[in-house]
Amino acid sequence: MGQSRKSNYDYCVKIVEKVIEILNANIENAEVTEDKLDEDLSEFGMDSITFIKIIVAVEEKFECEIPDSKLLIGEMNTANKIFQVLKDID
């Protein structure tokens, strides 16, 4: 693996780890792990209020602004979808 591909991979892994950390901190009793990146977060207990808390935490952690078009639960209802949004705005 080339150096730039490896560093890009490491960067992506760190983003995913931070997203998982945010989700587990904001969804009560959640145990989101790397093998559950595509599971619907509502199954872990995410509701509309929790979704807003997660968005705020993500924006603060990554110092970014999520586009309005993505501020719908259906657009970011899995850890992987949140990661993709962050990757697209980076």
Side-chain angles (χ1 to χ4, degrees):
M1 187 179 286
Q3 183 63 24
S4 64
R5 288 183 70 196
K6 175 139 177 55
S7 61
N8 187 40
Y9 173 80
D10 291 341
Y11 176 72
C12 290
V13 168
K14 287 181 182 181
I15 291 174
V16 170
E17 288 172 351
K18 288 178 184 178
V19 168
I20 290 171
E21 183 181 306
I22 289 168
L23 294 173
N24 287 328
N26 285 281
I27 304 173
E28 192 172 328
N29 300 318
E31 291 186 28
V32 180
T33 57
E34 288 183 24
D35 64 319
K36 298 177 182 177
L37 296 179
D38 290 314
E39 290 193 28
D40 192 318
L41 296 172
S42 65
E43 294 179 21
F44 292 99
M46 182 179 75
D47 58 17
S48 58
I49 300 297
T50 307
F51 177 71
I52 292 168
K53 290 178 183 178
I54 290 167
I55 295 302
V56 170
V58 166
E59 289 181 332
E60 288 176 356
K61 181 69 143 183
F62 294 99
E63 298 179 354
C64 67
E65 186 173 331
I66 306 290
D68 290 347
S69 63
K70 298 294 182 182
L71 295 177
L72 302 167
I73 290 180
E75 292 290 325
M76 296 199 321
N77 63 334
T78 70
N80 210 15
K81 286 182 181 180
I82 294 170
F83 165 73
Q84 290 299 324
V85 168
L86 289 168
K87 197 170 119 189
D88 290 346
I89 62 175
D90 186 26

